[in-house]
Amino acid sequence: MAGTVLGAMLQLQQAALWDRAVYAGLLLACAAAWAVRSRAALRLRPWWLVLLLLLAAGAMGGAGLAGWRASMHAADALDPALEGRDLQLQGVVAQMPQRSDGAMRFVFDVEEARWTGGPGQDAPPHVPPRIVLGWYADNTGLWGRAPEQAARAEAAEPPGPVHAGERWRLRVRLKAPHGNLNPHGFDLELRLWEQDVQASGYVRTGAGEARPQPLGQTWRHPVERAREAVRDAVFERVPDRAQAGVIAALVTGDQNAIERADWDLFRATGVAHLMSISGLHITLFAWLAAWLIGIAWRRSTRLMLWWPAPQAALVGGVLLAAAYALFSGWGLPSQRTVWMLATVALLRLTGRQWPWPFVWLCTGAVVVAVDPWGLMQPGFWLSFVAVGVLFAAGSPDEVPAGVGARLARMWREQWTVTLALAPLGLLLFQQLSVVGLLANMLAIPWVTLVVTPLSMLGVAAPPLWGLAAWAVQGLAWLLQALAGLPLATWSAPAPALWAAVAGVAGGVLLTMRLPWSLRLQGLPLLLPALLWQAPRPPVGEFELLAADVGQGNAVLVRTAHHSLLYDAGPRYSLESDAGHRVLVPLLRALDERLDSVVLSHRDSDHAGGVPAVLAMQPGAELRSSIEAGHPLQQLRPVQRCQAGQSWTWDGVRFEILHPQADDYAGFTRPNAVSCVLRIGNGRSTALLAGDIERLQEAALAARTPGLQADLLLVPHHGSKTSSSPALLDAVRPRIALVQAGYRNRFGHPAADVLARYAERDIEVVDSAHCGAAGWSSLRPAAVRCERRESRRYWHHQPP
């Protein structure tokens, strides 16, 4: 059992998949080792040899099964030759669509694919069986240019009504699943891999394009149709969108229905796990269903004679819990919980009385066999370690007598899990809710016994959703009061793996039923995780981390005791931006306290994430070229960028080289007044050029002697309007860093721009191939690429 988990973990570390025959060989070797183990046990071989054989067999089986499934999945990958080409697809909407302002996203099961050029093509294109599509409307009103993901020239009409189970004929453009890859960041490509999605794209509905054609409702995906109907009914019945979103999430599992501000509140108070269909909901539903089935079963003599009530209740509880998980979207946490419940139920039905460590490992092995990639998800480790802690801290079969005893046990279990998971939470999220214990003690019974039952009963009696909304409102008032307390949350840098493992071990040791003299030995184990400090450059040196934010700029500059953020990435949609999705988690993981934010100019691919960053960094000054009436002026006093401004941190000099005072009077485009920042220590230099274009580049090169730099942040993401020969000859960088989205609609970086860099033997590093890029003044000729250093076989490798 432990070997199965170990083997899957080792396979998940592969940068590239082996041949499928190798994984088949591992599975055969596992079966052979199991057979040898049986004969060895009969001959009473040494126990340690049998144990070692079992571990090896399990590891080969876990690695072989995970690798075989991965190789089967990879066989459906999108052909790179199809990226960016117009295709006509016919298929069925496989899940309820996710709607937002001016956009809609949905999973599409492809039935037929054709070329759009009509007859004359050879074989039809091979398209993955399951893809994700976006249908975008013209989105205006964002600051500056609308972002790539929110507005497209090809998508000029609003998304049509799309429902789960419908068959459509659509004209689309596809690309391989490609997400942003950053240290301590969310791995979108892994999530899509787990969901069997091998391509993403968008519906083309512009002028001259064939209109999307609905081909009628099908019988497929009836559960998704029911989920969508219930979700839409909740939003129609409950006027407050925030309350309706929580109810819809609890009933249908649609976590996207909850607004971002509410998610921030739930995370700050440590109750986010209650607002999605998690293992807690499924387990409690299974327990309640088993209890009701047991009561009903005992009322029938015939049923009692046919099958014992305890066994019927156990099986019925698991089956109804599986049905609930299916209706709630069959999410990965729900799947894991159902498989764990089914494993425990099977052990009980067969009369096996295993010690708790074996039950715990067995359920973990079953879950890993079903979903090996769950090992890479925080939810797996939180739930798996929490169950193990509860097993270790006390017997789960003990049923205390009396309400007081049960409340005392619930309190003990809550603080036990909270203490044991604190180091693991720091490793995964770099944040702990200090008020989380109190918030959970109040929120768990309220959500479990009031909000969730009312929300679910509202499916049959919709007026109950109004009562559920009042209950959600009361909970929100309580959580807001707790979140407003001083030091309600505590953030710490992400500890090293060894420190986090030691911390979890220390937390578990403190909570186990052992003499206090042994429990206290866990305190020293907690210290490495709780006191961990992220490493910083030495005095006189600096380092840059160009975050992977897609089509936009965001560069973190760090010295020994100071930090600066140059630009904050794009706004992806009205609900999402790079600040919230990328930069805030990154800054939290590194325990950064920004001294300054330099916003080069107002365009949304540079300024989109600034509000989220400023909200997290109240002490950071803001320096920019934005105009007096810009909305950001209301968030923080803005100091205007102007050539000649300079300061020194820890022996590192920062200089603003552009724009000059006169440039503000005559500029017609925001790009013309981009703040250009030079950073140097006398040995190494970096030049961050914003979106300046040829005229500004020529003026900068003419008036700035000694412009040479080791690293250049390529102006305007590699646009044809920038990177002029005059600038390149003046700067003569070793490395040119391009921050641009994969297959962005602007074509950045342009081919002729890349040719100019190649003519001068300048190494070009772009974020689409590199992911987050790290550079240090100590090693000015080297760049660390996150996509290369942390590569896994599910990560997309652009051609």
Side-chain angles (χ1 to χ4, degrees):
M1 293 177 287
T4 302
V5 177
L6 177 62
M9 290 180 63
L10 292 175
Q11 194 277 331
L12 293 176
Q13 305 307 309
Q14 287 188 289
L17 289 172
W18 295 334
D19 188 86
R20 194 178 304 177
V22 177
Y23 299 114
L26 288 175
L27 291 173
L28 291 175
C30 171
W34 187 264
V36 171
R37 190 276 318 171
S38 301
R39 278 190 286 239
L42 291 175
R43 292 199 298 269
L44 300 179
R45 291 289 183 93
W47 66 268
W48 58 266
L49 184 59
V50 176
L51 184 62
L52 185 61
L53 193 60
L54 277 173
L55 185 64
M60 289 186 291
L65 182 59
W68 175 270
R69 291 182 58 189
S71 61
M72 295 288 288
H73 183 67
D76 290 326
L78 179 70
D79 184 352
L82 297 181
E83 291 189 288
R85 301 186 62 178
D86 286 357
L87 302 173
Q88 182 175 283
L89 304 182
Q90 178 177 306
V92 177
V93 180
Q95 295 178 5
M96 60 178 181
Q98 301 296 328
R99 300 178 180 89
S100 59
D101 291 337
M104 180 181 298
R105 290 180 63 83
F106 52 92
V107 177
F108 196 65
D109 285 345
V110 178
E111 297 175 326
E112 182 182 279
R114 297 180 181 177
W115 302 103
T116 57
Q121 298 282 355
D122 295 331
H126 174 72
V127 175
R130 172 161 286 196
I131 62 178
V132 172
L133 292 176
W135 189 339
Y136 301 94
D138 185 23
N139 192 357
T140 58
L142 299 179
W143 300 338
R145 291 193 307 265
E148 172 196 356
Q149 293 84 347
R152 299 180 186 273
E154 296 89 348
E157 61 181 40
V162 178
H163 302 287
E166 289 182 343
R167 179 174 283 113
W168 282 78
R169 181 176 293 120
L170 305 169
R171 187 168 185 170
V172 305
R173 280 187 181 177
L174 300 179
K175 66 177 182 178
H178 187 97
N180 302 330
L181 204 58
N182 293 282
H184 313 288
F186 175 68
D187 192 343
L188 175 63
E189 294 168 35
L190 174 61
R191 175 63 59 85
L192 294 176
W193 180 280
E194 279 193 287
Q195 297 173 349
D196 291 330
V197 172
Q198 286 282 40
S200 62
Y202 64 95
V203 180
R204 289 176 59 85
T205 59
E209 303 286 356
R211 293 179 60 84
Q213 300 179 29
L215 303 179
Q217 186 72 47
T218 71
W219 57 268
R220 296 170 61 181
H221 309 295
V223 175
E224 288 298 320
R225 296 203 304 270
R227 293 180 64 220
E228 183 182 0
V230 170
R231 181 194 64 182
D232 293 346
V234 170
F235 279 97
E236 291 177 2
R237 174 73 63 162
V238 180
D240 187 280
R241 182 171 179 83
Q243 298 167 7
V246 173
I247 295 172
L250 291 174
V251 176
T252 67
D254 183 9
Q255 297 185 30
N256 293 314
I258 299 179
E259 296 184 348
R260 193 176 76 179
D262 292 326
W263 274 124
D264 292 339
L265 175 64
F266 299 149
R267 293 189 183 101
T269 52
V271 300
H273 63 99
L274 295 175
M275 303 305 157
S276 59
I277 306 300
S278 63
L280 175 64
H281 294 85
I282 302 298
T283 302
L284 289 175
F285 185 89
W287 175 85
L288 179 61
W291 178 63
L292 293 175
I293 291 174
I295 292 177
W297 202 272
R298 289 182 178 90
R299 292 182 177 272
S300 172
T301 304
R302 180 176 298 179
L303 291 177
M304 289 283 291
L305 293 175
W306 177 62
W307 205 11
Q311 295 185 8
L314 184 62
V315 173
V318 173
L319 291 177
L320 289 179
Y324 176 40
L326 185 64
F327 182 78
S328 65
W330 199 238
L332 296 175
S334 300
Q335 292 181 40
R336 289 192 288 264
T337 304
V338 169
W339 295 125
M340 292 179 72
L341 290 173
T343 303
V344 174
L346 182 62
L347 291 174
R348 290 195 175 187
L349 289 174
T350 55
R352 287 176 169 82
Q353 299 295 325
W354 289 2
W356 73 260
F358 288 92
V359 176
W360 182 55
L361 290 174
C362 181
T363 55
V366 170
V367 171
V368 169
V370 174
D371 178 25
W373 302 284
L375 287 167
M376 304 298 292
Q377 301 289 357
F380 172 86
W381 292 105
L382 289 174
S383 59
F384 189 62
V385 173
V387 172
V389 168
L390 292 178
F391 271 129
S395 173
D397 295 325
E398 295 178 359
V399 180
V403 176
R406 294 186 180 184
L407 289 176
R409 173 176 174 173
M410 185 174 68
W411 169 261
R412 182 177 184 277
E413 289 178 346
Q414 184 62 42
W415 76 258
T416 296
V417 172
T418 300
L419 178 61
L421 295 185
L424 187 58
L426 285 178
L427 173 66
L428 298 174
F429 307 113
Q430 297 81 54
Q431 187 179 34
L432 289 177
S433 175
V434 178
V435 299
L437 181 60
L438 177 58
N440 275 281
M441 289 303 300
L442 299 174
I444 287 177
W446 186 252
V447 173
T448 303
L449 302 178
V450 179
V451 179
T452 301
L454 287 174
S455 301
M456 297 182 65
L457 291 173
V459 177
L464 292 178
W465 282 332
L467 297 177
W470 290 343
V472 171
Q473 186 178 23
L475 177 66
W477 288 341
L478 171 65
L479 296 179
Q480 288 170 357
L482 292 175
L485 294 175
L487 301 177
T489 59
W490 179 53
S491 298
L497 180 60
W498 67 267
V501 171
V504 173
V508 172
L509 188 59
L510 281 171
T511 58
M512 293 184 68
R513 288 189 172 182
L514 296 171
W516 277 105
S517 58
L518 294 178
R519 290 192 191 188
L520 293 177
Q521 302 302 314
L523 288 176
L525 295 176
L526 288 173
L527 295 179
L530 298 179
L531 302 179
W532 180 264
Q533 296 293 320
R536 300 190 67 90
V539 174
E541 304 294 341
F542 66 101
E543 62 185 24
L544 275 65
L545 178 61
D548 186 4
V549 294
Q551 185 66 23
N553 281 151
V555 181
L556 176 65
V557 185
R558 308 169 74 225
T559 67
H561 303 103
H562 296 274
S563 300
L564 175 148
L565 181 66
Y566 182 85
D567 284 338
R571 185 174 235 181
Y572 303 121
S573 68
L574 293 176
E575 299 86 13
S576 178
D577 58 68
H580 188 270
R581 280 175 44 181
V582 177
L583 298 177
V584 167
L586 178 63
L587 295 173
R588 183 180 295 128
L590 298 176
D591 196 28
E592 289 295 337
R593 299 295 183 266
L594 294 179
D595 297 278
S596 179
V597 175
V598 176
L599 176 60
S600 64
H601 61 298
R602 72 183 186 192
D603 282 354
S604 67
D605 54 340
H606 298 253
V610 170
V613 172
L614 294 181
M616 177 200 182
Q617 302 284 342
E621 67 169 13
L622 179 59
R623 190 186 304 261
S624 181
S625 63
I626 59 176
E627 65 275 15
H630 194 280
L632 283 177
Q633 295 278 3
Q634 302 175 7
L635 300 181
R636 190 74 50 89
V638 180
Q639 182 178 355
R640 173 176 280 190
C641 288
Q642 187 169 315
Q645 296 171 347
S646 65
W647 63 95
T648 301
W649 287 339
D650 307 316
V652 179
R653 182 174 175 80
F654 294 74
E655 301 174 83
I656 300 293
L657 303 183
H658 181 83
Q660 293 186 324
D662 295 341
D663 294 329
Y664 286 100
F667 84 94
T668 58
R669 288 169 51 101
N671 291 355
V673 289
S674 290
C675 303
V676 176
L677 178 65
R678 178 167 63 182
I679 311 162
N681 61 1
R683 297 176 299 278
S684 301
T685 305
L687 184 66
L688 310 182
D691 275 2
I692 58 172
E693 299 179 345
R694 287 192 184 96
L695 290 178
Q696 295 79 44
E697 291 177 352
L700 181 65
R703 69 173 179 248
T704 310
L707 194 57
Q708 184 175 359
D710 298 280
L711 179 137
L712 171 66
L713 181 63
V714 172
H716 204 181
H717 321 286
S719 167
K720 294 180 180 179
T721 61
S722 304
S723 295
S724 61
L727 179 71
L728 300 188
D729 292 338
V731 178
R732 301 194 302 279
R734 300 184 184 186
I735 298 169
L737 186 61
V738 181
Q739 287 190 293
Y742 175 66
R743 296 194 65 85
N744 63 87
R745 66 189 179 101
F746 307 105
H748 297 160
D752 53 350
V753 170
L754 294 177
R756 286 200 289 271
Y757 283 98
E759 290 171 1
R760 293 161 176 81
D761 294 325
I762 301 170
E763 179 185 359
V764 176
V765 178
D766 67 280
S767 52
H769 291 81
C770 180
W775 179 89
S776 172
S777 61
L778 290 169
R779 294 173 296 279
V783 174
R784 182 193 183 278
C785 287
E786 186 70 18
R787 193 168 285 275
R788 180 175 62 237
E789 299 294 330
S790 303
R791 181 180 176 183
R792 298 293 183 269
Y793 57 80
W794 56 81
H795 287 151
H796 176 233
Q797 300 300 318

